Amino acid sequence: LMEPKLTTVNLPVYKMGLTACRLLFDHIEAVLGEGPDEPRQKIFLPLSMKIRQSSGQTDRIKTIFGD
């Protein structure tokens, strides 16, 4: 195992792919005239960060951001 333990970010990759496919299909339908032409939109998906020893300031970061 790695020492120090690495800080990691958990991305919702499945949901990101699913959302990208839905947006692509919607766009294709709009181009073909089979669906409404939706305006651009921003989509925010939740992510999480697991702070571990590799950040060097574990206690300080936990104080700022919480667990």
Side-chain angles (χ1 to χ4, degrees), residues 9-62:
V9 176
N10 182 21
L11 300 172
V13 290
Y14 179 80
K15 185 144 186 146
M16 290 167 65
L18 192 65
T19 302
C21 286
R22 181 183 55 82
L23 292 171
L24 178 61
F25 287 138
D26 290 348
H27 178 70
I28 291 170
E29 287 177 351
V31 168
L32 296 176
E34 298 173 4
D37 191 10
E38 300 281 330
R40 290 181 185 239
Q41 54 185 307
K42 290 184 180 182
I43 298 173
F44 296 92
L45 298 174
L47 59 88
S48 62
M49 183 166 68
K50 180 70 175 172
I51 299 170
R52 297 192 178 103
Q53 297 163 339
S54 66
S55 64
Q57 299 289 330
T58 308
D59 293 334
R60 184 166 189 270
I61 290 172
K62 284 184 178 180

